[in-house]
Amino acid sequence: MRIKNKYRKPTTFNCNAGGRCSMSAVVWSLVGCLLMLHLYSLARHKDGVGGEIQLRMSQHPQFRELLEVEEENIQMPPPRKRSPRAAKRKPKRSTTLIDEFLDENSQLRNTFFPDQRTAIDPMKDTGNDSFYYYPGRMWLDTEGNPIQAHGGGILYDQKSRTYYWYGEYKDGPTYHAHKKGAARVDIIGVGCYSSKDLWTWKNEGIVLAAEESNETHDLHKLNVLERPKVIYNEKTGKYVMWMHIDDTNYTKASIGVAVSDYATGPFNYLHSKRPHGFESRDMTVFKDDDGVAYLIYSSDDNSELHIGPLTEDYLDVTQFMRRILVGHHREAPALFKYQGTYYMITSGCTGWAPNEALAHAAESIMGPWETMGNPCAGGSKMFRLTTFFAQSTFVIPLPGFPGLYIFMADRWNPADLRDSRYVWLPLIVGGPADRPLEYNFGFPLWSRLSIYWHRKWRLPQGWSGLK
Ligand code: DGJ
């Protein structure tokens, strides 16, 4: 006989009149809770790692200096007097600091492009100023000449334990091929500089030279060679250079590949092509820890980036490619990896004029990539909105200091491109990301990335390159 127990608890929940919330509701809530817990612990984990590094960094006095937010207050000069006729012809528009930056006759010219007297000269007895970077100042090589390695990148050569800096050698006159065309310098070639300390640079010469006479050659001086990057292939023992190859009007939109047995060249130019059959303008290559290298390029009228692995010998692309940051209109990609996460800095698309940098992150290099926001810290609002009046080109890892990198950028001088300057600044990954992100319910799956403005700064002394 069954005795009815009126005090017995029901095994299902009554949610509403007559309705029963089944076990599945309980299971789903549990799953939800577990998911939240997992995400929370992931976020904690990332924070923890970042926090740890920040802590270690903040204990080091020279790291503390790097993390300091340094203000920069550039005053707009008073408006220039205009003749009444000029004022009538062209009504006055209020000028911005970017206009001043682009105006070669601006009173602020020396602020953005300080003259030779303040040049960084590692061969001079600089005393306490040794190893200091001064973003925007002229930077001389060991022979006393301004370094010509624009839109460049750095290769660390394990064999010779030497850093090599490759970039556009632009020591020629700036001109406009057409009235509306961008300012340009004829191709001279790819310059290469070597260094043990990332501060003193010896000119190793032009490692890939322009073609003077053959007009059909990609490297004919009237074409465009930009953003050369070199990676070393362990399997073939070759140094492989990738670069943006174009015609004067930027309609060829291709990549070029060259190869050498030596870091100091000479490089043998192989071919150009449109990777995966698509337009390719600003580009970079990135070699992952497993030896797989990737090409990343601005495509489809610079509206999106494409990324894909290279062949094993690094001389070509494979068939695999993903479109990333579609519709974002980004260029000047600079990629690096930190604790399994991929990070990338990009610029907007405004020719030689500076614009706002953005940082992006991805768990897998092939995407999806998510935008974290503007990484620039310090300076002034205008400094941050213009990437310190510069454009990204490369990020240098500093083994021994996890989370610390050098952000390399170009302060282009469109009136005289050979006089474009280098803006090198500390880039630090650590701490929670600032913004909620799209793909992970707002949980920061990666760390904050900051590029700190400094008028002068140096690498922490414990860094092996400075011992
Ligand atoms: C912006 C690119 O990032 C540069 O490398 C160069 O191509 C200029 N545009 C030319 O205007």
Side-chain angles (χ1 to χ4, degrees):
M1 197 173 95
R2 249 177 27 171
I3 303 166
K4 254 195 181 173
N5 183 355
K6 65 175 175 175
Y7 301 110
R8 198 164 62 111
K9 281 188 189 150
T11 49
T12 54
F13 299 111
N14 283 322
C15 300
N16 48 36
R20 278 198 323 172
C21 270
S22 63
M23 275 305 276
S24 68
V26 182
V27 171
W28 278 116
S29 328
L30 253 164
V31 168
C33 285
L34 279 172
L35 191 71
M36 296 298 265
L37 217 76
H38 173 67
L39 286 169
Y40 177 67
S41 72
L42 254 174
R44 281 289 298 252
H45 168 75
K46 289 272 171 176
D47 271 15
V49 174
E52 220 174 84
I53 287 156
Q54 293 258 317
L55 190 74
R56 225 180 320 142
M57 281 181 176
S58 60
Q59 281 162 356
H60 194 304
Q62 280 178 321
F63 262 127
R64 261 207 306 273
E65 273 173 34
L66 301 186
L67 295 170
E68 261 162 37
V69 174
E70 205 175 302
E71 300 292 329
E72 192 70 57
N73 187 13
I74 299 179
Q75 296 292 332
M76 281 288 284
R80 255 179 276 162
K81 284 213 177 81
R82 308 167 80 216
S83 73
R85 264 181 66 194
K88 210 170 155 194
R89 242 192 353 256
K90 212 175 174 194
K92 199 170 155 276
R93 169 179 81 83
S94 59
T95 52
T96 65
L97 214 47
I98 300 187
D99 296 323
E100 292 295 332
F101 172 81
L102 294 172
D103 177 1
E104 53 186 314
N105 299 314
S106 165
Q107 290 174 41
L108 294 176
R109 197 63 181 161
N110 205 55
T111 307
F112 294 117
F113 296 96
D115 61 31
Q116 181 117 28
R117 282 172 297 184
T118 63
I120 309 167
D121 184 355
M123 298 318 278
K124 224 169 66 188
D125 182 12
T126 40
N128 286 343
D129 248 6
S130 287
F131 301 114
Y132 272 98
Y133 298 111
Y134 284 85
R137 284 196 187 178
M138 273 186 180
W139 195 348
L140 309 182
D141 64 17
T142 52
E143 287 159 31
N145 299 313
I147 294 171
Q148 285 292 334
H150 310 281
I154 304 274
L155 164 87
Y156 179 67
D157 185 42
Q158 303 276 359
K159 286 193 279 184
S160 56
R161 293 171 174 247
T162 304
Y163 288 94
Y164 291 96
W165 180 358
Y166 303 90
E168 300 158 35
Y169 199 93
K170 283 184 130 44
D171 197 8
T174 296
Y175 69 98
H176 291 257
H178 315 287
K179 219 171 162 197
K180 286 195 174 156
R184 59 168 279 123
V185 169
D186 283 350
I187 303 181
I188 296 170
V190 176
C192 172
Y193 294 80
S194 63
S195 174
K196 295 278 185 192
D197 60 16
L198 286 172
W199 190 69
T200 316
W201 293 96
K202 175 175 178 272
N203 188 353
E204 298 286 353
I206 291 174
V207 293
L208 178 69
E211 166 63 41
E212 288 288 321
S213 45
N214 180 358
E215 285 176 24
T216 64
H217 198 287
D218 282 346
L219 301 183
H220 184 261
K221 60 183 178 178
L222 297 181
N223 289 331
V224 166
L225 186 173
E226 289 178 345
R227 299 187 175 273
K229 303 286 177 294
V230 175
I231 46 177
Y232 178 68
N233 190 306
E234 264 90 15
K235 288 190 183 137
T236 61
K238 306 268 186 204
Y239 297 83
V240 184
M241 182 187 293
W242 282 70
M243 68 211 96
H244 171 193
I245 291 292
D246 231 314
D247 53 25
T248 321
N249 301 323
Y250 288 87
T251 59
K252 188 177 170 83
S254 300
I255 52 83
V257 187
V259 68
S260 176
D261 289 331
Y262 306 99
T264 49
F267 280 78
N268 181 21
Y269 188 75
L270 299 180
H271 63 265
S272 73
K273 74 188 292 190
R274 283 193 163 183
H276 316 107
F278 288 100
E279 281 181 351
S280 166
R281 293 194 175 85
D282 277 12
M283 46 65 64
T284 194
V285 282
F286 173 76
K287 185 174 158 187
D288 209 342
D289 312 325
D290 59 2
V292 180
Y294 296 81
L295 171 72
I296 302 100
Y297 57 96
S298 302
S299 197
D300 202 7
D301 231 356
N302 289 346
S303 66
E304 58 194 41
L305 289 170
H306 291 180
I307 185 162
L310 303 184
T311 50
E312 268 193 43
D313 56 11
Y314 299 169
L315 300 181
D316 207 344
V317 288
T318 63
Q319 56 173 324
F320 303 105
M321 182 276 275
R322 288 272 179 283
R323 295 159 185 267
I324 58 170
L325 303 178
V326 175
H328 289 216
H329 298 270
R330 308 302 296 168
E331 54 182 17
L335 219 128
F336 64 100
K337 188 180 187 181
Y338 176 59
Q339 293 191 332
T341 300
Y342 299 88
Y343 294 91
M344 178 164 58
I345 312 288
T346 61
S347 77
C349 306
T350 52
W352 301 115
N355 56 51
E356 189 178 17
L358 288 177
H360 317 269
E363 293 293 300
S364 153
I365 192 166
M366 296 295 277
W369 281 82
E370 192 156 356
T371 299
M372 298 195 290
N374 183 340
C376 299
S380 63
K381 189 175 175 203
M382 205 37 131
F383 261 57
R384 294 190 292 276
L385 288 176
T386 57
T387 322
F388 315 113
F389 292 91
Q391 186 186 31
S392 46
T393 183
F394 198 77
V395 174
I396 315 172
L398 297 168
F401 282 114
L404 175 64
Y405 297 80
I406 299 179
F407 170 67
M408 279 174 72
D410 296 286
R411 180 172 289 175
W412 299 112
N413 178 350
D416 187 10
L417 284 163
R418 81 172 102 200
D419 188 34
S420 299
R421 305 297 172 85
Y422 310 104
V423 172
W424 285 27
L425 288 167
L427 181 158
I428 289 152
V429 191
D434 295 320
R435 288 202 200 167
L437 304 165
E438 283 163 28
Y439 296 115
N440 45 40
F441 315 107
F443 282 86
L445 286 181
W446 29 70
S447 304
R448 176 193 294 148
L449 190 164
S450 314
I451 301 166
Y452 289 87
W453 168 252
H454 291 289
R455 274 189 180 190
K456 59 180 276 193
W457 70 285
R458 59 185 290 184
L459 290 168
Q461 252 162 345
W463 181 63
S464 51
L466 294 182
K467 267 185 197 156

